């Protein structure tokens, strides 16, 4: 009797729930792959669909790099999974990624997860399509023309210079990543939205923290209930919108009293463009565009600048080579006379440019891009069903590229080699590609070059914890925030 009771209890409490769970997982898998096209002869990519409804989203959020590496090792360069509420195919490797990036509007269309669309808004550049996308992009691109970039140089130099001066005073150390976010945020506010330094000061910290909260919850399950990721992301977004609205209103009022400015910021160009096309921008659309530009403009550059401090801190010989290049090109420093920075001089700093390229190769701040299949198509022998999400992976594509020997090593000079630029097309995609190529690419490159010039001319630095563990969230960042001691550099 006792054994019988024990067996029944075991059956009810362990075996039955396990069987039910396995049946639910199997049923879920069958339900999800029901949408495949029987007319297409190719099989679905390998992979698993995870748990009912949540798929493998939690594993991705909690384990990121480990999860992605494990999947790649198990299933190869194309595999199916279920993320952020959708059946998804992850794609990597130059040849596969080329087809996705060049297939925009034909095979696929950009489609960020529902949580990103809800938080950032459907009127943003990264969420609009067709002629609306083309017109909007053309307008924003004007803010990053060569002429416009030339005007930004003194503003960027002034902000970086004063930040680096401040870091050298700080004891016992500087947590580089949060400081970098504040620096890049100030630069983005001034250049992209045209705000004056004193307008930014009051709300800077609160806004950066709200951005952090928004970004942390950008990729969540699309469930808006108290304490869910989406709920917290929207709360932070509403705070940012309220602050931006105050500033836009003030800017419009001030703008009525002022003469034509020297250069137009990205937001102004968007407003002008909407007037020209007869589609006036609502305050909501302005807030969404401003939030998107601030997000794209500060988080990515802060992540890359932090990686630069890290890689250069670990490779002092690279710092020396940058200093040699600056000396050879006679670039002026804070305490040394020489040529003032301008676009022509920045373009001559080839080695410095390679240091940025190599940093973006190893630690691309945007790990990948989201698309949706517009029709069922074949990719490398696998079926990609209509309506499924497709994520092209930037970090995995860099990881598996054969054109980069000793790929674990930080070797900026690899980009000095002639021909690498062509052979690395689609093997090297930190800014994406095709019609969705990053709109802020040239701005980011100028900003990061000026950052390096100021940094190596003014200071030496030591990473207090040695090489950090990097974490991939919406962007890549050091888990310990990179505690670093900065001290003045005196050239001999
Ligand atoms: C190191 C810096 C940066 C990196 C690595 C980077 C990376 C990327 C990537 C990979 C994409 C393409 C995503 C896709 O294929 O869907 C993209 C798009 C975009 N980026 Fe950047 N970005 C950087 C800086 C910036 C800056 C400074 C801005 C703002 C001014 C910006 C604004 C945007 C916008 C608005 C898009 C959407 C473009 C479109 O849909 O046509 N990014 N970025």
């Amino acid at each position: 009797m006792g054994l019988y009771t024990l067996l029944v209890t075991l059956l009810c409490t362990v075996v039955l729930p396990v069987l039910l769970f396995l049946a639910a997982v199997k049923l879920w898998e069958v339900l999800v792959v029901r949408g495949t096209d029987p007319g297409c002869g190719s099989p679905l990519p390998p992979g698993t669909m995870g748990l009912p409804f949540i798929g493998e989203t939690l594993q991705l959020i909690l384990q990121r790099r480990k999860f992605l590496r494990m999947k790649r090792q198990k299933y190869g360069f194309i595999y199916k999974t279920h993320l952020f509420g959708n059946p998804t195919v992850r794609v990597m490797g130059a040849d596969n990624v080329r087809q996705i990036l060049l297939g925009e509007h034909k095979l696929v269309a950009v489609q960020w997860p529902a949580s990103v669309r809800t938080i950032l808004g459907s009127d943003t550049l990264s969420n609009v399509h067709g002629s609306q996308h083309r017109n909007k992009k053309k307008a924003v691109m004007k803010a990053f023309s060569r002429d416009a970039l030339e005007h930004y140089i003194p503003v960027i130099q002034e902000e970086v210079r004063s930040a680096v001066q401040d870091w050298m005073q700080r004891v016992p150390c500087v947590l580089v990543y949060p400081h970098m976010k504040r620096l890049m945020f100030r630069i983005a506010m001034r250049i992209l939205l045209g705000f004056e330094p004193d307008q930014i000061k009051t709300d800077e910290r609160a806004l950066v923290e709200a951005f952090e909260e928004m970004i942390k919850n950008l990729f969540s399950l699309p469930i808006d209930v108290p304490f869910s990721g989406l709920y917290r992301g929207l709360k932070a977004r509403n705070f940012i919108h309220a602050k931006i609205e105050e500033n836009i209103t003030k800017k419009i009022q001030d703008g009525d009293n002022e003469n034509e400015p020297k250069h137009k910021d990205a937001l102004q160009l968007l407003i002008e463009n909407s007037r020209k096309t007869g589609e006036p921008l609502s305050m909501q659309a302005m807030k969404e565009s401003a939030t998107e530009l601030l997000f794209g403009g500060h988080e990515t550059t802060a992540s890359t600048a932090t990686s630069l401090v890290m890689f250069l801190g670990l490779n002092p010989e690279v710092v020396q080579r940058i200093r040699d290049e600056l000396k050879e090109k006679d670039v002026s420093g804070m305490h040394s006379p020489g040529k003032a920075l301008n676009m022509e001089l920045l373009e001559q700093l080839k080695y410095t440019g390679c240091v940025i390229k190599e940093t973006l190769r190893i630690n691309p701040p945007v790990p990948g891009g989201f698309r949706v299949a517009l029709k069922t198509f074949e990719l490398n022998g696998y079926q990609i069903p209509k309506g499924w999400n497709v994520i092209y992976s930037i970090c995995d594509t860099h990881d598996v590229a054969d054109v980069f020997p000793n790929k674990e090593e930080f070797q900026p000079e690899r980009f000095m080699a002639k021909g690498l630029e062509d052979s690395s097309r689609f093997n090297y995609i930190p800014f994406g590609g095709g019609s969705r190529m990053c709109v802020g690419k040239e701005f980011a490159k100028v900003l990061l070059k000026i950052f390096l010039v100021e940094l190596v001319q003014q200071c030496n630095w030591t990473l207090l914890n040695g090489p950090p563990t990097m974490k991939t969230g919406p962007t890549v960042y050091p888990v310990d925030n990179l505690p670093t001691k900065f001290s003045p550099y005196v050239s001999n």
Side-chain angles (χ1 to χ4, degrees):
M1 183 66 183
L3 185 67
Y4 176 74
T5 315
L6 191 71
L7 277 177
V8 171
T9 315
L10 200 71
L11 193 72
C12 292
T13 55
V14 182
V15 182
L16 219 56
V18 168
L19 286 178
L20 275 175
F21 174 75
L22 292 176
V25 170
K26 192 70 206 156
L27 192 67
W28 164 247
E29 183 121 12
V30 172
L31 269 177
V32 173
V33 300
R34 220 175 22 152
T36 54
D37 184 350
C40 173
S42 308
L44 281 175
T48 46
M49 301 313 243
L51 298 175
F53 305 108
I54 52 176
E56 298 186 311
T57 311
L58 290 181
Q59 274 159 284
L60 176 75
I61 290 174
L62 297 175
Q63 297 182 311
R64 275 287 170 173
R65 282 199 159 178
K66 203 168 143 207
F67 171 79
L68 297 178
R69 199 164 297 143
M70 184 271 286
K71 286 274 176 188
R72 191 173 86 207
Q73 276 161 5
K74 200 160 172 193
Y75 300 119
F77 288 8
I78 305 178
Y79 58 84
K80 69 173 184 298
T81 171
H82 200 281
L83 296 173
F84 309 110
N86 289 298
T88 300
V89 177
R90 271 184 61 92
V91 171
M92 63 209 70
D95 289 339
N96 299 326
V97 164
R98 175 195 290 116
Q99 293 189 56
I100 301 301
L101 288 175
L102 300 185
E104 182 79 15
H105 300 314
K106 291 181 286 240
L107 299 178
V108 294
V110 79
Q111 179 168 292
W112 291 86
S115 57
V116 180
R117 277 176 283 148
T118 313
I119 292 175
L120 283 186
S122 50
D123 251 345
T124 47
L125 188 59
S126 46
N127 284 322
V128 292
H129 300 270
S131 60
Q132 210 188 349
H133 174 251
R134 264 195 307 280
N135 286 338
K136 219 171 193 168
K137 194 151 189 169
K138 223 162 112 191
V140 180
M141 293 292 281
K142 283 192 195 147
F144 304 122
S145 66
R146 199 173 187 281
D147 193 35
L149 293 176
E150 193 84 74
H151 277 109
Y152 302 154
I153 293 173
V155 177
I156 300 173
Q157 206 168 10
E158 179 194 317
E159 286 290 347
V160 174
R161 210 165 254 193
S162 81
V164 173
Q165 291 280 304
D166 171 58
W167 297 346
M168 285 190 288
Q169 318 277 319
R170 284 186 180 259
V171 280
C173 67
V174 173
L175 290 178
V176 173
Y177 185 50
H179 275 269
M180 207 64 88
K181 278 194 281 192
R182 292 181 63 181
L183 166 63
M184 296 304 170
F185 183 78
R186 275 198 306 276
I187 294 176
M189 282 290 268
R190 285 184 68 180
I191 286 173
L192 303 176
L193 308 192
F195 291 118
E196 295 301 324
D198 53 334
Q199 276 180 290
I200 306 163
K201 244 181 223 151
T202 20
D203 296 322
E204 183 192 298
R205 186 184 281 269
L207 270 167
V208 173
E209 278 166 13
F211 258 95
E212 207 159 299
E213 178 71 1
M214 183 186 91
I215 291 160
K216 208 164 72 193
N217 294 297
L218 207 50
F219 293 89
S220 325
L221 285 167
I223 306 166
D224 183 13
V225 292
F227 309 112
S228 69
L230 182 59
Y231 175 86
R232 279 177 290 160
L234 280 170
K235 202 168 151 208
R237 192 276 317 261
N238 292 342
F239 174 81
I240 296 164
H241 274 195
K243 289 291 168 197
I244 289 180
E245 182 166 350
E246 271 173 31
N247 273 322
I248 293 178
T249 313
K250 185 169 183 309
K251 193 169 140 73
I252 292 171
Q253 283 163 359
D254 290 354
D256 292 341
N257 312 324
E258 278 172 17
N259 300 326
E260 191 76 350
K262 277 200 295 294
H263 69 84
K264 291 182 177 141
D265 55 74
L267 191 60
Q268 253 171 326
L269 288 163
L270 273 177
I271 297 170
E272 269 185 23
N273 181 64
S274 71
R275 282 199 196 119
K276 263 189 230 150
T277 54
E279 296 163 16
L281 272 185
S282 63
M283 178 56 90
Q284 180 64 17
M286 275 195 266
K287 288 189 289 189
E288 286 181 3
S289 290
T291 308
E292 180 188 43
L293 287 174
L294 279 180
F295 164 53
H298 95 278
E299 191 69 27
T300 49
T301 46
S303 160
T304 313
T306 305
S307 294
L308 280 167
V309 172
M310 175 190 88
F311 284 125
L312 296 190
L314 297 170
N315 296 278
E317 71 288 354
V318 176
V319 177
Q320 192 49 51
R321 275 195 72 174
I322 300 177
R323 286 181 179 146
D324 292 345
E325 182 171 71
L326 297 182
K327 209 169 189 176
E328 186 198 320
K329 300 292 175 198
D330 191 25
V331 177
S332 75
M334 239 179 81
H335 307 293
S336 55
K339 293 185 199 151
L341 279 187
N342 57 27
M343 284 300 288
E344 201 187 329
L345 194 50
L346 284 173
E347 280 156 7
Q348 289 172 25
L349 302 178
K350 300 278 185 233
Y351 181 76
T352 309
C354 292
V355 172
I356 295 165
K357 282 185 190 166
E358 180 69 342
T359 301
L360 287 169
R361 181 185 73 80
I362 304 183
N363 280 349
V366 178
F370 286 78
R371 303 289 185 268
V372 62
L374 296 174
K375 56 181 183 189
T376 300
F377 63 96
E378 277 184 33
L379 188 65
N380 209 359
Y382 291 117
Q383 175 186 163
I384 314 293
K386 180 178 174 179
W388 280 35
N389 275 3
V390 178
I391 300 179
Y392 76 88
S393 170
I394 296 176
C395 46
D396 287 295
T397 298
H398 288 187
D399 261 7
V400 300
D402 291 337
V403 292
F404 303 119
N406 304 322
K407 53 185 158 230
E408 307 285 325
E409 285 168 29
F410 185 74
Q411 293 177 349
E413 57 284 358
R414 73 171 84 236
F415 281 98
M416 299 290 262
K418 281 207 168 66
L420 183 70
E421 206 76 28
D422 292 334
S423 66
S424 66
R425 202 165 169 232
F426 296 104
N427 280 300
Y428 179 72
I429 45 167
F431 294 101
S435 61
R436 291 282 169 180
M437 171 79 88
C438 175
V439 77
K441 179 180 166 196
E442 295 308 320
F443 170 61
K445 289 203 270 189
V446 165
L447 168 53
L448 293 167
K449 255 191 191 173
I450 299 174
F451 171 71
L452 272 189
V453 170
E454 287 297 322
L455 188 73
V456 303
Q457 279 186 324
Q458 284 198 55
C459 50
N460 288 317
W461 62 100
T462 312
L463 310 181
L464 297 185
N465 289 354
T469 306
M470 301 302 283
K471 194 162 177 207
T472 311
T475 57
V476 62
Y477 61 96
V479 174
D480 65 358
N481 282 326
L482 206 67
T484 301
K485 179 75 194 125
F486 292 87
S487 54
Y489 163 70
V490 187
S491 83
N492 43 32

